[in-house]
Amino acid sequence: MRYLLLAVCLGLACAQTTIDPSVLEGIFGTPPTPKPVNPVTPGLEDITVKPTEGTSTFTDKNGETCQCVPYYLCDANNVGVDVNNASVTGWGTLDIRFGEDNDIDRQCQESVEVCCTIPKDTSEQPKPKPKPKPEPGQAKGCGYRNPNGVGGITVTGGSGAESQFGEFPWVVAILDKYNSSYGGVGVLIHPQVVMTGAHIAQRYAPGGMKIRAGEWDTQTIKEIFPYEERNVQNVVIHENFMPKSLKNDIALLYLDSPLPISEYINVICMPEQDEVFDSHKNCVANGWGKSHFGLQNRYAVILKKVELDMVPYSRCQSLLRRTRLGHNFKLHNSFVCAGGEAGKDTCQGDGGAPLACQFGSMRYKLTGLVAWGIGCGQQEVPAVYANVPKFRNWVDQKLGIWGVTATSYSNIKV
């Protein structure tokens, strides 16, 4: 299955302004006619694949009645079907695959549920609490990836592109404040500051945005830890952002109150000014794509991940000139590139999402923001991202206005 995760353009003319408009339409399609604002615009939970509704009680292979409940409400010896003989008590593996409609192994439609013969009472078994940020000197610090997730389980059995719960604590969803309609993806760089693409932020009227941190499966609120939402109080879009070409595609969102930093909600590390990542391999991009795995109307959209190698500027420009952009195309220095491997790309989902490169043991720096691309997952056609290191000084200057200093958010020494 192709790793198609993130939308990079969403109807914008994303190539350089030197390109003929007819070529732009050939690459990106004709921009859609704006629709009137609808007070019942679908929310994040509505635009993705919805679980099958109906009974949550089934009969397992042993003839016993079992009820679908979150895995942490069931002991291993009470699981109606113990998939792959794995413990699902909070220290094992939760298999999210499913078979045909008559396959009892996946009667429970939500990703975090198991069919349990004797579920625990929620009043007697409250949700576990996430581990708070450790004391100074013990903190894992910024950009720490949880490779096995958090909450005591490992998720297997999907398409292979799904992240573990809490694996990438810096990824947030951007939503409409009033109707929770889905707008894009951002990245947490401070407990009270989110970075995203300018082409995402400009869609909203002042005071019209909120963010959701700690999100994983958009179709359930039964994850072991709850998500956190904050309203966006202030927005700063780069002064030289160019909507038609997406040059300088970066924006900062100041939240109305800080997020609680914990094992599943955390800031990413920021790069130094003009830091170069051209030689980095296996950088990671995340987002909630429109694609789904398995059968329609069975599973929700889980935060996905794709690993991409960075592509040096000169090679990226050369490769893009082989496309319909033409041999005169010049890649602006506010962009970096990654990918170009068949079937692996950032595509079809959400713009503004982070591209992060590893620089320590399970530690990542913010390298790019999803901006635009030519097609999806084509061999030797890289995707294009906002060049975050180019804007480090700009970020520091803007955060200084809000009273946030570099040493207070993501320069933790490792």
Side-chain angles (χ1 to χ4, degrees):
M1 178 177 177
R2 294 178 62 190
Y3 293 81
L4 301 182
L5 309 183
L6 316 173
V8 296
C9 187
L10 301 179
L12 294 173
C14 301
Q16 299 298 314
T17 54
T18 56
I19 305 300
D20 185 272
S22 63
V23 177
L24 292 179
E25 290 189 7
I27 296 171
F28 301 110
T30 303
T33 302
K35 296 181 180 180
V37 176
N38 186 342
V40 292
T41 302
L44 176 61
E45 291 80 5
D46 299 316
I47 64 172
T48 52
V49 181
K50 298 179 71 64
T52 300
E53 298 178 356
T55 180
S56 61
T57 302
F58 303 95
T59 302
D60 67 18
K61 291 178 179 178
N62 298 322
E64 295 187 71
T65 299
C66 59
Q67 180 181 354
C68 292
V69 297
Y71 74 91
Y72 47 83
L73 294 180
C74 191
D75 289 327
N77 57 353
N78 290 327
V79 178
V81 177
D82 193 2
V83 181
N84 294 337
N85 296 317
S87 168
V88 287
T89 61
W91 291 273
T93 300
L94 188 64
D95 195 323
I96 60 174
R97 70 175 153 221
F98 54 90
E100 301 300 325
D101 289 342
N102 61 356
D103 187 349
I104 189 67
D105 285 1
R106 277 314 321 175
Q107 290 284 15
C108 299
Q109 299 303 300
E110 295 198 41
S111 59
V112 296
E113 288 188 331
V114 295
C115 208
C116 189
T117 55
I118 309 177
K120 298 176 183 178
D121 190 316
T122 54
S123 62
E124 299 176 359
Q125 183 71 25
K127 280 188 177 184
K129 293 183 179 180
K131 295 178 182 178
K133 181 180 179 181
E135 294 298 322
Q138 300 177 337
K140 290 180 178 178
C142 61
Y144 184 78
R145 175 182 180 179
N146 297 298
N148 298 318
V150 300
I153 62 165
T154 300
V155 175
T156 65
S159 69
E162 295 80 23
S163 68
Q164 303 295 326
F165 175 74
E167 183 176 359
F168 302 94
W170 51 81
V171 181
V172 305
I174 296 175
L175 312 173
D176 186 283
K177 177 181 176 180
Y178 302 104
N179 56 32
S180 293
S181 60
Y182 182 50
V185 185
V187 54
L188 197 63
I189 65 170
H190 177 274
Q192 204 166 352
V193 181
V194 167
M195 182 187 293
T196 188
H199 75 278
I200 298 296
Q202 72 166 2
R203 300 174 187 166
Y204 295 89
M209 260 187 291
K210 66 180 179 180
I211 65 95
R212 182 180 293 176
E215 178 64 278
W216 180 63
D217 183 334
T218 63
Q219 285 299 306
T220 185
I221 57 173
K222 298 176 183 177
E223 289 103 336
I224 190 169
F225 302 137
Y227 59 70
E228 295 271 352
E229 288 190 346
R230 296 291 186 274
N231 292 327
V232 175
Q233 182 173 304
N234 290 309
V235 178
V236 174
I237 294 176
H238 196 281
E239 300 83 354
N240 296 322
F241 170 58
M242 302 183 68
K244 291 185 177 180
S245 64
L246 293 194
K247 295 177 183 177
N248 306 304
D249 187 19
I250 186 171
L252 299 174
L253 314 179
Y254 188 69
L255 310 180
D256 59 357
S257 63
L259 289 159
I261 299 301
S262 66
E263 56 184 333
Y264 78 110
I265 297 176
N266 195 12
V267 299
I268 196 169
C269 297
M270 284 289 287
E272 300 296 330
Q273 176 67 32
D274 296 321
E275 187 171 354
V276 177
F277 292 87
D278 282 357
S279 62
H280 279 65
K281 307 293 184 183
N282 299 317
C283 300
V284 182
N286 303 98
W288 291 271
K290 293 181 180 179
S291 60
H292 56 82
F293 57 92
L295 303 177
Q296 189 173 6
N297 297 325
R298 294 298 297 265
Y299 274 103
V301 173
I302 291 173
L303 179 66
K304 295 179 175 65
K305 60 186 176 184
V306 59
E307 293 189 347
L308 303 164
D309 294 343
M310 299 300 294
V311 179
Y313 174 90
S314 58
R315 174 163 174 76
C316 181
Q317 178 172 267
S318 176
L319 291 172
L320 291 175
R321 285 177 173 177
R322 299 179 188 176
T323 70
R324 284 173 287 175
L325 292 173
H327 66 275
N328 291 323
F329 172 77
K330 182 171 176 57
L331 184 67
H332 194 255
N333 64 4
S334 66
F335 297 120
V336 293
C337 301
E341 180 181 345
K344 294 178 66 176
D345 200 355
T346 49
C347 177
Q348 291 185 354
D350 318 309
L355 173 69
C357 292
Q358 188 171 351
F359 72 102
S361 178
M362 286 299 126
R363 196 176 301 278
Y364 288 75
K365 283 186 179 181
L366 182 58
T367 307
L369 304 171
V370 172
W372 59 273
I374 307 297
C376 297
Q378 300 179 41
Q379 186 69 26
E380 296 194 337
V381 182
V384 183
Y385 301 76
N387 181 2
V388 174
K390 173 181 171 59
F391 301 104
R392 175 58 196 268
N393 291 341
W394 179 84
V395 170
D396 289 344
Q397 177 190 10
K398 299 305 179 183
L399 294 191
I401 297 174
W402 292 331
V404 177
T405 61
T407 56
S408 71
Y409 62 106
S410 55
N411 276 344
I412 298 173
K413 301 297 182 182
V414 296

